[in-house]
Amino acid sequence: DLPVRLFHWALVGLVAFSWWSAEEGGVMLKYHMWSGYGVFGLVLFRIGWGFVGTRYARFAEFVHGPRRVLASLATLWDRKPLAVAGHNPLGGWMVLALLAVLAVQVGTGLFANDDLFNEGPLYAQVTKAWSDRLTAIHHLNFKVLAVLVTIHVLAIVWHRWRKGERLAWAMITGRKQLPAPAAPAGRLPWVAALVLIAVSAAIVVAVVYL
């Protein structure tokens, strides 16, 4: 649905900017923190949307147990794509992994410091030693995030080359070619989406500024 697609591409842009601004350092770290607040809000929204969104946005639709995941893994070499309208079982667990790692990245960033002029908004709530530990986790966790993103991109390339699935294009248009008909996603609950956006933004503002 549209909220998932907007979330996805906004997240791509913010994570890329967060990486670049961290590499630049200096005055860019202020914008790095703002970018992190944006990621914070997006993660909160996606978690909520996983429960109240349209059919194929919900965790219950694409998060499966080990048996389904292993069966999906066994079909990776097949040229025939799975008849799945949303995320396939492997992709579903990648969604959870990325959200978890992003949550750790945001959470540790709130307490981080650079030993110069920049401190996270919750820096004063912990000791300097704890802030340093959380800063180290923040740096290490980004490497984990980079590995997951790389696997995610390689999986998209693989599905395009091996199975002929245009997953990136589907994430732009919201439409996907399937070997068999799928159940309709249902009407988009716009009121729920707007309320969830407002609640997510309010939580970020409360944590950062209050």
Side-chain angles (χ1 to χ4, degrees):
D1 59 31
L2 181 61
V4 168
R5 286 179 280 142
L6 292 176
F7 156 82
H8 179 274
W9 295 113
L11 188 64
V12 170
L14 286 176
V15 169
F17 179 81
S18 294
W19 167 78
W20 175 78
S21 55
E23 290 295 308
E24 289 292 304
V27 69
M28 292 306 300
L29 287 179
K30 178 175 71 172
Y31 303 108
H32 175 82
M33 288 193 288
W34 290 357
S35 178
Y37 304 155
V39 174
F40 186 9
L42 287 175
V43 169
L44 290 175
F45 172 81
R46 186 62 185 95
I47 292 172
W49 197 242
F51 296 98
V52 303
T54 56
R55 176 170 186 156
Y56 299 111
R58 296 186 181 187
F59 297 133
E61 179 67 24
F62 61 79
V63 177
H64 302 284
R67 184 176 299 177
R68 286 283 299 275
V69 173
L70 290 175
S72 175
L73 186 62
T75 68
L76 270 182
W77 192 255
D78 296 347
R79 289 197 173 275
K80 183 181 178 182
L82 292 174
V84 179
H87 298 292
N88 64 42
L90 281 171
W93 279 97
M94 176 58 81
V95 171
L96 293 188
L98 284 167
L99 287 174
V101 172
L102 286 166
V104 172
Q105 194 69 7
V106 167
T108 53
L110 294 171
F111 297 90
N113 75 90
D114 66 351
D115 280 324
L116 290 172
F117 308 109
N118 298 285
E119 300 165 350
L122 301 184
Y123 171 80
Q125 306 303 315
V126 296
T127 64
K128 177 63 166 60
W130 265 108
S131 175
D132 289 343
R133 293 188 189 101
L134 293 170
T135 301
I137 295 173
H138 188 71
H139 293 155
L140 177 62
N141 190 68
F142 183 79
K143 296 179 181 178
V144 177
L145 177 60
V147 170
L148 289 179
V149 169
T150 301
I151 294 172
H152 179 58
V153 172
L154 289 175
I156 292 171
V157 173
W158 175 263
H159 277 263
R160 181 71 181 96
W161 173 76
R162 184 68 185 176
K163 297 175 177 290
E165 290 184 286
R166 303 173 68 187
L167 298 182
W169 184 244
M171 190 56 84
I172 293 172
T173 65
R175 297 181 179 276
K176 181 180 177 183
Q177 286 292 115
L178 293 173
R187 296 183 63 182
L188 184 66
W190 282 107
V191 173
L194 294 174
V195 169
L196 190 55
I197 290 171
V199 169
S200 300
I203 292 174
V204 173
V205 170
V207 170
V208 173
Y209 295 107
L210 301 181

